[in-house]
Amino acid sequence: MFRFIIVVIIVVGFLILSIPILLVEWIIGKFNPYRKDISSLRLIQWVFRVILKVTGLKLDVIGEENVPKDCAVLYIGNHRSFFDVLITYARCPGRTGYVAKKELKKAPLLCNWMNYLHCLFLDRKDLRAGMQMILTGIQKIKDGISICIFPEGTRNKGESELPLLPFHEGSFKMAQKTNCPIVPMAMVNTCEIFEAHFPKIKPTHVILEYGQPIIPSELSPEDKKHLGAYTMKVIEEMLEKNRKLIDEQ
């Protein structure tokens, strides 16, 4: 419970104390948008690393060399915990926006930072708004900003990472339209940080693996047509392998 309280204090404290920083970043953005993007990115990554340190997380990362550093990508990962965002965002090498549920737009200050970080808000009940979000994401990728999506659509609350919830094929339109690399991310054991014993936060061993980039144009016509299913299979194989590593401990 102590760790949970400390994490809440860090999050709330940062949001309140960051009000003048938001103003400074806004001013910087008026003159140098790219510099503002990078400074906002690095600041939030630092805060996320502090929070993860408080949780006592032991993180093993596999295949990080597979993440392209010279172009925007579409990150695709499985989703079991609120901490999935912190773990993965803290390691993004460049500007990256995450797709989040529209309800977060109502969160004061948090919403401001999410907008600064190029996050996209998804209304699952409005098809037209969903299409507009995809178009916005396509433009961001063209502008050199990576996008991260958890295509299961919600947190998987099953007993284990497998089976995955079905991937929404629409999540992959951004890669299909831009031919940007898809970087599969497989996270094992993240729900043991918090969700498995709410409200306690416990030190946990997590494995994060980045798979080989998937280039849509290099796939067979059948795999191109079912890009979500293809990527899902890649992530499932990584999860199965790394779940065994955790269970053997």
Side-chain angles (χ1 to χ4, degrees):
M1 194 67 179
F2 175 74
R3 288 187 174 88
F4 175 76
I5 294 172
I6 296 299
V7 167
V8 171
I9 291 173
I10 292 172
V11 172
V12 175
F14 170 76
L15 290 176
I16 294 173
L17 295 175
S18 70
I19 294 175
I21 301 176
L22 283 167
L23 177 59
V24 171
E25 293 284 24
W26 179 80
I27 294 172
I28 293 173
K30 288 295 182 181
F31 298 95
N32 191 330
Y34 179 79
R35 182 179 177 185
K36 172 235 178 184
D37 286 350
I38 294 299
S39 60
S40 295
L41 167 71
R42 300 308 179 205
L43 175 60
I44 297 302
Q45 287 182 321
W46 177 80
V47 174
F48 282 1
R49 291 189 189 106
V50 170
I51 293 173
L52 292 173
K53 190 174 184 60
V54 170
T55 68
L57 174 72
K58 176 188 176 184
L59 179 63
D60 287 338
V61 181
I62 302 171
E64 195 161 21
E65 68 278 2
N66 290 327
V67 180
K69 307 295 191 299
D70 57 351
C71 66
V73 306
L74 180 67
Y75 293 101
I76 296 290
N78 63 306
H79 192 25
R80 294 268 288 163
S81 170
F82 296 119
F83 283 91
D84 295 340
V85 175
L86 280 71
I87 290 170
T88 55
Y89 197 76
R91 310 193 73 83
C92 291
R95 295 179 296 168
T96 306
Y98 276 51
V99 174
K101 57 185 180 181
K102 70 164 188 174
E103 287 77 10
L104 290 176
K105 291 183 72 173
K106 300 177 183 178
L109 299 179
L110 175 61
C111 176
N112 297 89
W113 279 110
M114 293 179 75
N115 282 322
Y116 277 18
L117 298 170
H118 298 283
C119 291
L120 305 176
F121 298 95
L122 175 62
D123 185 343
R124 298 166 184 162
K125 299 179 181 179
D126 189 335
L127 182 61
R128 181 175 296 181
M131 290 301 298
Q132 183 57 52
M133 186 216 70
I134 290 173
L135 292 175
T136 302
I138 289 171
Q139 186 57 54
K140 286 189 180 294
I141 289 174
K142 290 180 178 179
D143 292 340
I145 301 165
S146 297
I147 298 294
C148 179
I149 299 178
F150 300 118
E152 291 174 283
T154 187
R155 284 187 297 116
N156 185 340
K157 299 177 183 179
E159 291 296 320
S160 184
E161 290 80 13
L162 295 171
L164 292 170
L165 300 177
F167 279 15
H168 296 283
E169 290 287 343
S171 304
F172 295 83
K173 293 292 184 183
M174 297 180 200
Q176 291 171 326
K177 296 298 183 181
T178 62
N179 198 42
C180 73
I182 297 171
V183 177
M185 302 187 300
M187 289 170 279
V188 173
N189 223 31
T190 56
C191 73
E192 290 296 326
I193 301 173
F194 178 59
E195 284 77 7
H197 31 71
F198 173 86
K200 295 181 179 179
I201 291 176
K202 293 186 176 181
T204 303
H205 180 200
V206 169
I207 297 177
L208 163 62
E209 180 169 3
Y210 296 94
Q212 289 284 343
I214 299 168
I215 311 299
S217 63
E218 297 178 359
L219 298 178
S220 69
E222 184 65 19
D223 288 334
K224 284 181 188 177
K225 186 177 179 181
H226 303 288
L227 190 52
Y230 179 88
T231 307
M232 181 176 175
K233 183 178 179 182
V234 171
I235 292 176
E236 284 176 335
E237 291 174 352
M238 291 191 290
L239 289 174
E240 185 174 3
K241 176 192 61 162
N242 294 329
R243 182 74 254 176
K244 291 177 181 178
L245 294 177
I246 294 289
D247 293 340
E248 289 171 358
Q249 293 180 353

